[in-house]
Amino acid sequence: MPLTDVKVRQAKPRESGYRIPDAGGLHLFVTPSGSKLWRVRYKIDGKEKLLSLGSYPEISLAAAREARDQAKAAKRRGVDPSALKRAGALQPGQAPPATFEVVAREWHAVKAPSWKPHHAADVLASLEREIFPTIGALPLPEITTPMVLEALRRVEKRGAVDLAHRLRQRISHAFQFHIASTGNGRDPAAHLSRAMTPIDKSGRRPAVTTIARAREVLQACEQLPAFPVTRLALRLLALTLVRPGEVRGAVLDEFEDLDGQEPTWRIPPERMKSQFEHVVPLSTHAVDVVKEATRLAGRGPLLFPSTRQARRPLSENAIGYLMNRAGFRGEHVAHGWRATGSTVLNERYPADRQAIDLMLAHGPKDPVEGAYNRALHRTRRRELAQIWADMLLEGMPNAEQIATAARR
């Protein structure tokens, strides 16, 4: 039975110390001398540990329970509550020092209005997924440079070197935000880039360049056990040749005339790397993917929601991770489908260079031509989209079949 203030107050000393349990691992230890000490039992890494919170009546029952809840929340994030206590973050009855997660969310809230919505969502999602579980619950003074580097190393080992560097910047910006706001503190991520895996400066993302190899890549990825949403997103990415972020952030309202003669995907400017809307004529295969993804998405606005939170887009690493698991790390990346489609189509249809560039949302390289040539080549782009889809998916399962294949 949980403790009450009366029970705590009336507890008497005995010849040997004894415990009076409360709940959730919290108990009151009464010493032979009559002292009353609050303690919490917990397990971490399979080992049982004991956390001392302080004595009664300096710490009330309510304050002890609050500290217990803080300790349990830290443990769920993989942080040892004892580390929080050493840093002064477990102070029953007092406001704890700011943790990295609290500060990072404050920084994000201030900066997000100046960013495009999909970028703001990506920044927060990357921190929630990669960083908060490791250092999010720690107070800022407790976080060291090696701790941050260890968190980033885990991202690098998956082959996501670019993401690791972006995360370092985001961590650093959060610390600098706190320093500017409070006038004290330090930035343990400031110079970490020197210890990280360098970013490939070639500007070329790995991509296969033949239709035969492209089919092998897609087929191998789709045969792996995976979440249906990830497989469908990969197929739509390969069919439409848009950027991965544009697929991940796709909203159901962006698609029109799916049952008509001119099914189209209109990607608004705020989700593009330009100030213009990108109009994507859809092949019949792409329409099948959109319809199947819509069925799976249910009532949510996103076509490819996160597997954990329906209101968040699919993780920015999900498609790339699937391709890495299929064995194509270093040979082909999610963004590489654009190079693949462009190479194959330009080799076969060199006279359609302008139409193919528009399929990729690339404007004319000549600024004078860009100013005067407003042709969108939509009819030819629709034909090319269907040609590309027919080549890529010949003999392969339809969208419904890949959505119902083995899950991970």
Side-chain angles (χ1 to χ4, degrees):
M1 181 179 295
L3 281 170
T4 65
D5 287 319
V6 173
K7 286 184 181 180
V8 174
R9 189 168 57 252
Q10 293 180 349
K12 303 298 183 183
R14 298 175 185 172
E15 290 185 6
S16 59
Y18 66 98
R19 296 186 300 119
I20 307 177
D22 181 49
L26 177 66
H27 66 264
L28 183 74
F29 183 76
V30 183
T31 68
S33 64
S35 297
K36 300 173 182 179
L37 309 175
W38 294 112
R39 295 175 176 175
V40 177
R41 288 185 181 275
Y42 66 98
K43 282 187 177 181
I44 194 161
D45 296 330
K47 298 179 181 179
E48 187 170 283
K49 303 186 74 172
L50 191 66
L51 180 67
S52 298
L53 302 179
S55 61
Y56 177 87
E58 287 79 8
I59 298 175
S60 67
L61 173 59
R65 286 172 173 167
E66 179 186 344
R68 173 202 62 196
D69 292 343
Q70 292 174 10
K72 290 173 68 176
K75 183 173 169 290
R76 284 195 297 270
R77 294 186 175 97
V79 177
D80 190 338
S82 296
L84 295 188
K85 185 171 185 290
R86 289 195 302 270
L90 283 176
Q91 298 180 2
Q94 301 179 31
T99 64
F100 177 75
E101 180 172 349
V102 170
V103 170
R105 288 185 183 278
E106 290 177 352
W107 163 74
H108 182 269
V110 170
K111 298 296 182 181
S114 63
W115 297 334
K116 290 186 177 181
H118 74 280
H119 176 64
D122 281 350
V123 169
L124 185 58
S126 69
L127 291 171
E128 289 176 337
R129 185 178 58 254
E130 310 288 355
I131 303 301
F132 291 168
T134 53
I135 65 172
L138 293 176
L140 299 194
E142 180 79 3
I143 299 172
T144 64
T145 297
M147 285 181 183
V148 178
L149 182 59
E150 183 182 356
L152 297 176
R153 285 273 189 252
R154 282 193 286 269
V155 180
E156 288 182 340
K157 287 177 181 177
R158 299 201 311 266
V161 175
D162 284 358
L163 175 61
H165 280 268
R166 291 198 299 273
L167 286 167
R168 186 210 65 80
Q169 290 179 329
R170 292 163 188 175
I171 294 168
S172 183
H173 289 163
F175 273 99
Q176 291 171 19
F177 170 81
H178 179 73
I179 294 169
S181 301
T182 64
N184 57 63
R186 58 185 178 78
D187 177 7
H191 304 294
L192 264 181
S193 58
R194 300 172 185 174
M196 298 173 64
T197 302
I199 298 174
D200 181 5
K201 300 294 186 179
S202 67
R204 290 180 175 269
R205 295 179 173 90
V208 299
T209 55
T210 67
I211 189 62
R213 190 55 174 159
R215 286 171 48 78
E216 291 173 359
V217 170
L218 189 60
Q219 192 168 32
C221 292
E222 292 183 347
Q223 288 176 347
L224 282 180
F227 292 110
V229 168
T230 307
R231 276 197 290 252
L232 290 170
L234 170 59
R235 177 168 283 199
L236 188 64
L237 178 68
L239 288 170
T240 58
L241 309 182
V242 301
R243 297 177 179 88
E246 291 153 13
V247 167
R248 292 175 40 251
V251 177
L252 299 177
D253 291 344
E254 294 173 358
F255 298 88
E256 60 187 42
D257 199 28
L258 294 181
D259 294 314
Q261 296 299 311
E262 297 185 351
T264 302
W265 178 13
R266 295 182 179 274
I267 307 177
E270 57 268 21
R271 293 211 307 108
M272 294 293 300
K273 282 191 171 182
S274 70
Q275 56 183 323
F276 303 108
E277 173 186 70
H278 182 34
V279 180
V280 184
L282 298 175
S283 64
T284 56
H285 302 283
V287 169
D288 289 342
V289 173
V290 173
K291 288 183 175 180
E292 186 62 25
T294 301
R295 183 185 67 79
L296 293 178
R299 298 182 179 181
L302 293 168
L303 188 65
F304 301 112
S306 164
T307 54
R308 296 180 180 179
Q309 299 182 48
R311 295 284 173 180
R312 292 283 178 85
L314 186 69
S315 162
E316 63 181 311
N317 295 322
I319 296 175
Y321 183 53
L322 174 59
M323 296 173 65
N324 287 344
R325 285 201 294 123
F328 299 104
R329 175 179 291 181
E331 181 183 6
H332 193 70
V333 297
H335 201 282
W337 287 108
R338 292 165 60 77
T340 304
S342 176
T343 301
V344 171
L345 290 173
N346 272 296
E347 284 181 349
R348 298 190 179 213
Y349 306 99
D352 289 312
R353 178 185 64 83
Q354 289 184 335
I356 296 168
D357 281 348
L358 287 167
M359 291 175 71
L360 302 172
H362 289 165
K365 295 179 175 58
D366 183 346
V368 176
E369 181 185 1
Y372 291 101
N373 184 359
R374 307 297 176 86
L376 297 178
H377 302 282
R378 287 186 186 173
T379 300
R380 185 54 180 161
R381 285 163 56 197
R382 188 174 297 280
E383 293 170 353
L384 289 169
Q386 191 62 53
I387 291 170
W388 167 249
D390 290 340
M391 286 192 297
L392 185 63
L393 298 185
E394 182 181 0
M396 293 178 64
N398 61 31
E400 182 180 0
Q401 289 171 320
I402 67 167
T404 56
R407 292 171 175 252
R408 189 174 185 200

